Amino acid sequence: MSRTGTSCSLGYVRSRAAEGARVSSEGVTVVALLADPDAPTEVARRMVRMLPARLAARAGRGRRFEVRVVSEPFTVECEDPSTLMGRIADRASEEGWDIVVALTDLPLHTQGRKLVVNLDHEHGLALLSLPALGGFRLQTKARRAVEETVIALAERPATVAEKRQQWEPSRAAFAGRLTPIRPGPVGEDESTDLRYVVSGPRGYVRVLAGMVRANRPWRLVPGLSKALAAALATGAVATVNSTVWSLAEALSAPRLVIATVGSIALMIGWLIVDAELWHRSTESSPEAKLRANLYNASTVVTVGIGVLVCYAGLIVINLVWALFILNDRVFASMTRAPLDAAGYLTLSWFVASTATVGGALGSGLESDEAIRAAAYSKREQERRNMLQDQE
């Protein structure tokens, strides 16, 4: 099985580029934001209203821009940047767009490096990988990156000196404070003439954060209805159980922490194993193993954040239930300890750990498709389904 898109259809359409500004016959530069469905389309639609005015202000000289959002799965069954650039070129040729900036929430790799953006100045094309922008302030970072890319593609410099001056967009629009980017190597047979990549541990963390952000882990909680029902039922019963009261009062803080870590780890492990979320690469190359590690790390972090949110919610719900249902005299008679604020919090904390274990068992009632839908973005689901079909 190959993840580099060797089986993808290329179909690259080349045309001779004229020198000067990219302007359509109506005197307006038509910019298409070709976005994968789900998160990339949402990002593109949020910026489309303000983008024409911002581009016109930056370009000056009375330039006008028309920005269109086109949502389609242009990355389906393919993760090879060169092949994707070919697909983008085909769409640009079909529609007559002047500039195309393609947005995807898939992490793309090229020659062992994590891709940020590919630019083809001759044809006015760009491919932007959103996870490489990191997991925080994604909308602002994406807008800045798109603006810088469009401005860089809007002109066709006539001389080599002009190319050096105008063709390279500012790296600040793509780089983070702790994660610098740099130009990546470009093959002689590629249409891409400029590529930005990130590498090293900081680049890994940045892309991982972007992948987790694209998966939107907070959706895991409402997506696991049966597991939540089991956890809430377990918590409701445990809260009124005198044996649980005695255990909660007897356990020290370190043991409560161990119970918390153990229950959360059990829930994460059960979800990953039961729904077969762990990916094993069939390729032996170091790059394939690195990609598999990245995908699996994003799975663990995504599911982990979702379970942590669920755990915090269980503590709150258990606390409210305990305040409503418990009688301090009965509690004191069974545990020989007063039911004060610390007692309520300790009991709710311990019951949340117990309920999380019950939720892990209840998650076995969920279908694998439901768990994947809750844990992954639409594009990531399609990518994993494609890989399973190829295996």
Side-chain angles (χ1 to χ4, degrees):
M1 177 191 66
S2 174
R3 284 174 135 183
T4 58
T6 54
S7 61
C8 304
S9 174
L10 186 57
Y12 195 95
V13 178
R14 298 181 181 272
S15 60
R16 182 174 178 79
E19 295 176 355
R22 296 182 185 275
V23 182
S24 63
S25 58
E26 292 80 13
V28 179
T29 299
V30 179
V31 179
L33 301 182
L34 183 62
D36 263 335
D38 204 23
T41 296
E42 293 178 12
V43 170
R45 286 174 177 166
R46 286 174 187 157
M47 71 173 73
V48 70
R49 291 185 179 180
M50 65 178 69
L51 204 53
R54 295 180 66 94
L55 291 172
R58 290 195 57 182
R61 294 174 295 176
R63 293 285 299 277
R64 293 186 297 160
F65 293 85
E66 176 186 342
V67 181
R68 306 172 183 175
V69 176
V70 180
S71 179
E72 63 181 50
F74 70 94
T75 60
V76 65
E77 297 185 359
C78 187
E79 295 184 45
D80 176 47
S82 297
T83 304
L84 294 177
M85 291 294 286
R87 291 183 177 182
I88 298 166
D90 289 343
R91 292 293 286 121
S93 178
E94 292 170 3
E95 302 294 337
W97 299 321
D98 299 311
I99 295 174
V100 183
V101 180
L103 308 176
T104 180
D105 57 357
L106 283 182
L108 300 176
H109 298 76
T110 175
Q111 301 184 31
R113 299 170 177 85
K114 300 164 189 66
L115 178 69
V116 180
V117 64
N118 263 0
L119 290 98
D120 177 356
H121 291 84
E122 182 181 1
H123 301 93
L125 311 174
L127 172 62
L128 178 63
S129 177
L130 295 178
L133 298 180
F136 303 99
R137 300 177 65 242
L138 176 62
Q139 188 65 43
T140 300
K141 292 178 180 178
R143 177 183 54 75
R144 290 176 55 196
V146 169
E147 282 182 21
E148 196 68 33
T149 299
V150 172
I151 293 300
L153 296 175
E155 299 290 338
R156 293 193 181 101
T159 67
V160 174
E162 289 179 350
K163 287 182 180 181
R164 290 175 179 171
Q165 251 184 351
Q166 300 178 16
W167 277 30
E168 185 170 326
S170 171
R171 300 185 194 180
F174 305 93
R177 294 181 179 178
L178 303 177
T179 313
I181 66 170
R182 56 189 177 84
V186 178
E188 295 181 358
D189 58 341
E190 294 186 73
S191 64
T192 298
D193 48 50
L194 181 62
R195 169 177 292 147
Y196 284 155
V197 297
V198 293
S199 58
R202 290 183 295 179
Y204 182 95
V205 171
R206 189 183 190 193
V207 174
L208 177 61
M211 293 174 67
V212 173
R213 169 66 175 77
N215 287 335
R216 291 179 283 191
W218 52 88
R219 300 186 307 178
L220 185 66
V221 178
L224 299 176
S225 57
K226 294 182 177 65
L228 274 176
L232 291 173
T234 303
V237 173
T239 301
V240 296
N241 188 290
S242 59
T243 303
V244 174
W245 300 349
S246 300
L247 284 173
E249 286 297 321
L251 289 177
S252 62
R255 289 191 175 187
L256 286 171
V257 172
I258 294 174
T260 299
V261 174
S263 62
I264 291 176
L266 177 63
M267 182 69 160
I268 294 173
W270 180 263
L271 287 172
I272 292 175
V273 173
D274 185 58
E276 299 180 353
L277 303 181
W278 195 261
H279 176 73
R280 293 178 176 85
S281 176
T282 57
E283 296 183 31
S284 58
S285 66
E287 184 175 345
K289 292 180 179 179
L290 180 62
R291 285 199 301 267
N293 291 337
L294 185 62
Y295 292 130
N296 287 329
S298 72
T299 296
V300 173
V301 176
T302 298
V303 175
I305 292 175
V307 172
L308 284 172
V309 172
C310 181
Y311 188 90
L314 287 173
I315 290 179
V316 174
I317 294 173
N318 292 332
L319 178 60
V320 172
W321 174 241
L323 289 170
F324 174 76
I325 201 69
L326 294 185
N327 182 281
D328 55 348
R329 293 181 180 178
V330 175
F331 184 91
S333 66
M334 299 298 296
T335 63
R336 299 180 181 179
L339 185 58
D340 51 14
Y344 276 113
L345 290 174
T346 301
L347 178 62
S348 301
W349 183 6
F350 179 64
V351 168
S353 299
T354 305
T356 300
V357 175
L361 298 176
S363 67
L365 301 175
E366 302 277 5
S367 67
D368 293 350
E369 291 75 16
I371 296 177
R372 292 191 188 100
Y376 295 130
S377 68
K378 182 178 180 181
R379 194 92 337 252
E380 180 69 359
Q381 293 176 57
E382 292 179 355
R383 186 194 70 79
R384 288 175 179 259
N385 291 337
M386 180 265 293
L387 291 176
Q388 286 182 351
D389 292 341
Q390 289 181 359
E391 291 174 352

